[in-house]
């Protein structure tokens, strides 16, 4: 059986990691800076910039990098429904 943990992260998981990183920074009371998101999510700056644009276009983030209600609903639903199934079959690693 292949070791699925060695596969690249799924795009959806990267989106979740970015949103969780932003939420974590916001909870700490620090200003949200791309550098901090980059470090927490483990992404390169160019990839992070593209993902931020994707998340803004999906309505999950505002231009100020605040997570929208839609973004929080997405996180809640993914965490409750999708992540457990993906983890069961070795396709999801929780980095939070």
């Amino acid at each position: 059986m292949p070791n699925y943990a060695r596969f690249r992260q799924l795009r959806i998981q990267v989106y979740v990691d970015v949103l969780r990183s932003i939420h974590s920074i916001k909870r700490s009371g620090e200003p949200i800076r791309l550098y901090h998101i980059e470090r927490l999510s483990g992404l390169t700056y160019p990839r992070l910039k593209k993902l931020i644009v994707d998340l803004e276009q999906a309505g999950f983030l505002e231009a100020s990098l605040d997570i929208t209600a839609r973004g929080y609903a997405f996180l809640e639903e993914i965490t409750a429904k999708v992540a457990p199934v993906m983890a069961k079959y070795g396709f999801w690693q929780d980095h939070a």
Side-chain angles (χ1 to χ4, degrees), residues 35-95:
Y35 174 75
H36 293 132
I37 301 169
E38 182 182 343
R39 289 197 51 187
L40 285 175
S41 62
L43 297 170
T44 62
Y45 184 79
R47 186 166 182 213
L48 176 61
K49 287 290 284 184
K50 183 186 179 329
L51 290 170
I52 294 288
V53 170
D54 292 348
L55 290 168
E56 286 176 354
Q57 289 175 346
F60 297 155
L61 278 182
E62 296 175 355
S64 62
L65 297 181
D66 283 328
I67 302 174
T68 64
R70 178 181 164 99
Y72 278 115
F74 169 77
L75 271 177
E76 186 176 312
E77 208 164 335
I78 289 292
T79 303
K81 297 178 182 176
V82 176
V85 173
M86 298 299 284
K88 179 179 177 181
Y89 295 100
F91 288 104
W92 190 276
Q93 291 181 334
D94 197 5
H95 294 106

Side-chain angles (χ1 to χ4, degrees), residues 9-27:
Q9 275 187 307
L10 300 171
R11 181 179 299 262
I12 192 93
Q13 188 172 3
V14 176
Y15 289 149
V16 168
D17 287 346
V18 170
L19 290 172
R20 283 182 173 174
S21 297
I22 292 169
H23 177 72
S24 176
I25 294 166
K26 188 174 182 178
R27 272 189 24 193

